[in-house]
Structure formats: structure tokens, C-alpha cells
């Protein structure tokens, strides 16, 4: 491969990343201050943690922005093994939160290895597919190894269990497979395979969950969105409060800091359901503006990826864009009641250290790809 000419990182992509990260910190403050003041006697409890994670993420983003993306092809094997090891290790020494053993806890800070595993899988698939070239169109030597890799990682994630992350990983892997130029027949077979994986994911979700939790928590998450009013004080409570927030916000919003639902009505207002607070405080106009900025960022990142002269960079960038876009779609779908709630954060904006850290690291890789793209 001929050396690629290095240019400046894409300013628009960097600007949108900083805007969304800063906006996320502001909204975490607004959504969490009341809860933090009561539970921790510090209205800035969650905000300060989010700022720390954001600073760490921006620091790594700047570093990764200056590391040639081609370098990851040489390091991907140990990175992938480390990701697999962390997924295994968390099952034994991880902390259980909301029925899932998916967290490492170090002092006051915690992290989810699944977030790093998603990025590692994208990097591994991009490396594998780009190295195989035309061989990737052969099922046994091309697509089958990719399916096995995705299946193994999904199985480990489902043992936690973490359904939302599994959906994101499977759908993102499917996107990378298609972008990698798999044979049309094999793409159809991969669609059937990914569908079976999703079925396995759902089955595993119930298999590895205690029966009492399945009865009161897991199945309810899949059915409450169909008719939350059938059980408004229990299974449908979270979604109903979210819809109340959007209704209260109307077109122009109640005003920044004026959300009613965040005052201990809407659970996880600063995390999974932060978009509901955005809709309540900033209204339809504010919510659509946030969506527009997110779409603009993903569009710009996709253009950068597709214009990269290196197939590895194209696949890596496309996978990252897919991961962010799919995660945002699942979060927004759950908050608005279009799909079942899965506990997935909104990229850049929701409170969550490991999620924000990996998202910003991913943007650092995309910004480096932009330095070699013909944009």
C-alpha cells in the first residue's frame, strides 16, 4: 500500500463532537442536580464525574487523532484478546447493577468492558475483512470466521446479560460485513445468521436471568411499550413519565432547568432518559436541533469514511458511525416508546463514563481517518 498523504483533521467533525460533548455535560447537570442534591448532598455529583470522563475522553481523542489509523492493524490481535479477557473477567469479579454483572468498580468510578469490546470488534472485523480482500467473498474463508467472532463476543455479553449492547454489536457487525463487500448470497445468509443471533440473544437474555427477575423485569421491558397504561405504576411507569416530559415541553419547551419529570418522577433522567428531559426543557425545537446535530455528525463521519483511500479506514470508520448511529436510534426509540426500553445511553449526551470515553476515543480514530480522506 502506498503511503497516504496526511492532512489536517476535519474541523466540522471536531466542532460537532465538542458541541455535543459540552451540551451533554450541561444537560447532565440539569437532569441530575435535584437527584444528586438529595441522594448525595451535592447537586454537582454527577456533573463533576461527567466532566472528568469527558476530559479523559477528549485527552485520548487528541492522542488517537494523531496516531495513524493503519497502526491499529498491527495491534488489533492483542487489543481483541484484551477485550475478550475483560468480558470473561467481568462475569467473575464484576459488580451487578440492575440485574446485569457488566461493571468493573474501581473506587468511586466504574466502567463497562462491553463498551470497549464493541470498538475492539469493529477494529478486528475491519482488519480481518481488509486483509482477506477478494477472499472475503468466499463463505468459508471470509464470512464464516467473521460470524464466529461476532457470535463468541455476543455470547459473552449475553452472559452478563446486556441485551442492548448485543443488539448494537450484531447490527454494527452486519453493517461492516455489507460495507466489506460480502457476496450477495452470503449477505442474505449473514442476515439469516444475524437474525438467529438476535434470537439467541433474546433467548440467552432470559436463560441467564433469574426467574423472579424475568417475571418482574425482563419480559415487562419487552411488553410495557405496547401498552404502558395497563400498568402505569410499575412496568409502564418509566415510559409514561417520559411521554409526560415530552408533552409538558411542547414545541418551545418549559425552559432550561424547568423540567418537572426530573424531580424524582422519571427514573434515570440523567442517563437513559436524558432525551426526555431535553424534550421537556427545550421542547420540540430543541429536541429536533439535537437530532439534527447528531445526524450531521454521522453524515460527515460517513462521508469521511467512504472517501478514505484505504479499505481498512473505510470499514473502521463505517463501523464506528454505525455503532454510534445504532446506539442513538435504540436509545431514542426506547425513550419515545417506539421500541422496548433496553437501557442504552444516548451517545455524547447521557451520563455514563465508559460510554462517553469510548465514544470520544472512537471520534479520535475518525478524526485521524479524516486526515487521510479526500474531503
Amino acid at each position: 500500500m502506498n503511503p497516504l498523504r496526511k492532512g489536517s483533521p476535519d474541523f466540522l467533525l471536531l466542532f460537532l463532537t465538542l458541541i455535543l460533548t459540552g451540551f451533554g455535560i450541561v444537560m447532565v447537570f440539569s437532569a441530575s442536580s435535584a437527584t444528586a442534591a438529595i441522594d448525595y448532598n451535592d447537586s454537582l455529583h454527577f456533573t463533576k464525574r461527567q466532566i472528568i470522563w469527558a476530559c479523559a475522553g477528549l485527552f485520548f481523542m487528541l492522542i488517537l487523532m494523531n496516531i495513524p489509523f493503519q497502526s491499529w492493524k498491527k495491534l488489533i490481535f492483542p487489543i481483541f484478546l484484551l477485550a475478550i479477557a475483560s468480558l470473561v473477567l467481568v462475569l467473575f469479579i464484576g459488580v451487578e447493577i440492575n440485574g446485569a454483572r457488566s461493571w468493573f468498580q474501581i473506587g468511586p468510578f466504574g466502567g463497562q468492558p462491553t463498551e470497549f469490546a464493541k470498538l475492539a470488534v469493529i477494529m478486528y472485523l475491519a482488519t480481518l475483512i481488509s486483509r482477506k480482500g477478494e477472499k472475503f467473498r468466499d463463505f468459508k474463508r471470509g464470512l464464516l470466521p467473521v460470524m464466529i467472532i461476532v457470535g463468541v463476543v455476543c455470547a459473552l455479553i449475553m452472559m452478563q446479560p446486556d441485551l442492548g449492547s448485543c443488539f448494537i454489536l450484531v447490527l454494527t457487525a452486519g453493517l461492516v460485513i455489507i460495507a466489506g463487500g460480502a457476496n450477495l448470497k452470503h449477505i442474505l445468509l449473514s442476515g439469516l445468521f444475524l437474525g438467529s443471533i438476535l434470537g439467541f440473544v433474546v433467548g440467552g437474555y432470559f436463560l441467564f436471568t433469574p426467574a423472579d427477575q424475568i417475571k418482574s423485569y425482563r419480559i415487562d421491558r419487552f411488553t410495557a411499550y405496547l401498552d404502558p397504561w395497563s400498568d402505569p405504576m410499575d412496568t409502564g411507569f418509566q415510559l409514561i413519565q417520559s411521554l409526560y416530559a415530552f408533552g409538558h415541553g411542547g414545541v418551545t419547551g418549559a425552559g432550561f432547568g424547568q423540567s418537572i419529570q426530573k424531580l424524582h418522577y422519571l427514573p434515570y433522567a440523567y442517563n437513559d432518559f436524558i432525551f426526555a428531559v431535553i424534550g421537556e426543557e427545550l421542547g420540540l425545537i430543541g429536541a429536533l436541533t439535537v437530532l439534527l446535530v447528531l445526524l450531521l455528525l454521522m453524515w460527515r463521519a460517513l462521508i469521511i469514511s467512504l472517501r478514505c483511500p484505504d479499505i481498512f479506514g473505510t470499514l473502521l470508520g463505517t463501523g464506528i458511525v454505525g455503532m454510534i448511529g445504532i446506539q442513538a436510534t435504540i436509545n431514542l426509540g426506547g425513550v419515545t416508546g417506539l421500541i422496548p426500553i433496553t437501557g442504552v445511553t444516548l451517545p455524547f449526551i447521557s451520563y455514563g463514563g465508559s460510554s462517553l470515553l469510548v465514544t470520544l476515543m472512537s471520534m479520535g480514530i475518525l478524526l485521524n481517518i479524516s486526515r487521510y480522506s479526500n474531503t
Side-chain angles (χ1 to χ4, degrees), residues 7-44:
S8 301
D10 188 80
F11 174 78
L12 179 58
L13 186 63
L14 176 60
F15 176 73
L16 293 173
T17 299
L18 296 176
I19 286 293
L20 285 172
T21 303
F23 176 74
I25 293 173
V26 172
M27 289 310 305
V28 166
F29 166 71
S30 178
S32 69
S33 56
T35 300
I38 294 176
D39 295 345
Y40 297 95
N41 198 31
D42 180 7
S43 61
L44 296 176

Side-chain angles (χ1 to χ4, degrees), residues 289-364:
T289 301
V290 173
L291 291 180
L292 180 62
V293 175
L294 273 170
L295 287 173
L296 182 59
L297 178 141
M298 288 185 287
W299 169 80
R300 186 59 182 170
L302 184 60
I303 292 297
I304 288 169
S305 302
L306 294 178
R307 291 181 178 177
C308 180
D310 186 290
I311 184 61
F312 171 70
T314 296
L315 294 177
L316 179 58
T318 301
I320 291 174
V321 174
M323 178 180 69
I324 294 174
I326 291 168
Q327 180 168 329
T329 301
I330 292 176
N331 173 272
L332 296 172
V335 170
T336 56
L338 297 177
I339 62 175
I341 299 169
T342 57
V344 170
T345 58
L346 182 61
F348 299 103
I349 299 174
S350 291
Y351 173 79
S354 51
S355 175
L356 180 60
L357 179 62
V358 171
T359 300
L360 291 175
M361 290 172 63
S362 300
M363 296 310 298

Side-chain angles (χ1 to χ4, degrees), residues 149-171:
I149 291 169
V150 176
V152 169
V153 177
C154 282
L156 289 173
I157 294 176
M158 280 316 306
M159 292 176 70
Q160 297 177 10
D162 185 349
L163 180 61
S165 293
C166 232
F167 270 106
I168 294 170
L169 179 60
V170 170
L171 295 176

Side-chain angles (χ1 to χ4, degrees), residues 76-333:
I76 188 56
F77 189 67
I79 290 175
F80 184 70
L81 287 182
L82 183 62
I84 293 294
S86 66
L87 290 177
V88 173
L89 195 60
V90 77
L91 298 174
F92 297 96
I93 64 173
V95 177
E96 184 173 326
I97 299 178
N98 293 330
R101 188 175 295 276
S102 57
W103 292 77
F104 287 125
Q105 192 72 34
I106 303 176
F109 295 97
Q112 289 181 286
T114 301
E115 297 294 335
F116 296 92
K118 288 187 292 187
L119 179 58
V121 169
I122 292 172
M123 297 171 71
Y124 194 85
L125 293 184
T127 301
L128 192 65
I129 294 173
S130 63
R131 284 179 176 173
K132 286 183 177 295
E134 286 299 318
K135 293 180 181 179
F136 183 61
R137 297 181 62 83
D138 180 81
F139 182 76
K140 290 184 179 180
R141 293 183 297 174
L143 196 57
L144 184 58
V146 171
M147 291 180 173
I148 293 174
I149 291 169
V150 176
V152 169
V153 177
C154 282
L156 289 173
I157 294 176
M158 280 316 306
M159 292 176 70
Q160 297 177 10
D162 185 349
L163 180 61
S165 293
C166 232
F167 270 106
I168 294 170
L169 179 60
V170 170
L171 295 176
T172 303
L175 180 63
V176 175
I177 288 171
I178 294 173
N183 184 284
L184 179 59
K185 294 181 180 179
H186 299 163
I187 290 177
L188 295 176
L189 288 174
S190 67
L192 294 174
F193 170 78
L194 293 176
S196 65
I197 286 292
L198 289 176
F200 166 77
V201 164
V202 174
Y205 198 64
F206 295 108
L207 178 63
F208 290 102
T209 303
D212 58 335
Q213 292 185 19
I214 289 179
K215 180 178 180 180
S216 62
Y217 180 64
R218 303 303 181 190
I219 293 181
D220 293 338
R221 275 198 164 189
F222 285 95
T223 58
Y225 84 103
L226 296 175
D227 184 15
W229 298 100
S230 63
D231 191 5
M233 298 307 295
D234 189 9
T235 60
F237 182 80
Q238 197 169 20
L239 178 56
I240 289 173
Q241 299 306 313
S242 178
L243 297 177
Y244 276 154
F246 287 113
H248 181 217
V251 176
T252 58
F256 179 75
Q258 301 303 310
S259 169
I260 300 298
Q261 298 308 116
K262 70 182 182 184
L263 303 177
H264 296 275
Y265 291 102
L266 178 62
Y268 305 107
Y270 50 87
N271 190 262
D272 303 348
F273 280 78
I274 198 168
F275 191 71
V277 177
I278 294 173
E280 184 177 9
E281 296 190 347
L282 305 182
L284 178 63
I285 295 175
L288 289 179
T289 301
V290 173
L291 291 180
L292 180 62
V293 175
L294 273 170
L295 287 173
L296 182 59
L297 178 141
M298 288 185 287
W299 169 80
R300 186 59 182 170
L302 184 60
I303 292 297
I304 288 169
S305 302
L306 294 178
R307 291 181 178 177
C308 180
D310 186 290
I311 184 61
F312 171 70
T314 296
L315 294 177
L316 179 58
T318 301
I320 291 174
V321 174
M323 178 180 69
I324 294 174
I326 291 168
Q327 180 168 329
T329 301
I330 292 176
N331 173 272
L332 296 172

